[in-house]
Amino acid sequence: MLSTALPIALMLVVLALMMNLYRLTRGPRLPDRVLALDTMYVNSIALVAMFGLWLDSKTYFEAALLIAMLGFVSTVAICKYILRGDIIE
């Protein structure tokens, strides 16, 4: 069952990543692009975690954790720059 569901889920996550990339490049406003970038982080975490499940390796889960931390910090920094004009006060 898992061997059938994982490839389908991987294809759907890759499709979501492509749609996020479209929004990132063609977004009408800057907040739309930031939201697309944040969603790309979430989808890439899901993609890496599913690869970890498929290959039965713990290394992919650690990589997903690193992507999550970098995504959170970069999203906070970009949002702070948009709201206040600088990152470090």
Side-chain angles (χ1 to χ4, degrees):
M1 184 70 177
L2 192 61
S3 63
T4 305
L6 271 176
I8 294 170
L10 285 172
M11 287 189 313
L12 292 175
V13 169
V14 169
L15 178 68
L17 275 171
M18 293 175 135
M19 291 175 13
N20 290 330
L21 185 63
Y22 175 76
R23 179 55 62 192
L24 183 66
T25 57
R26 307 279 296 196
R29 295 177 293 150
L30 188 59
D32 295 327
R33 293 179 178 181
V34 171
L35 185 61
L37 183 66
D38 192 44
T39 308
M40 283 181 76
Y41 281 122
V42 172
N43 286 334
S44 64
I45 291 167
L47 188 68
V48 170
M50 282 191 281
F51 270 125
L53 281 175
W54 196 3
L55 299 177
D56 197 22
S57 174
K58 294 179 182 176
T59 306
Y60 289 97
F61 295 109
E62 293 172 1
L65 182 63
L66 286 175
I67 292 171
M69 289 188 325
L70 290 175
F72 175 74
V73 170
S74 66
T75 301
V76 168
I78 291 171
C79 290
K80 191 172 179 181
Y81 179 76
I82 289 172
L83 291 176
R84 297 185 181 171
D86 59 352
I87 297 173
I88 299 172
E89 295 177 12

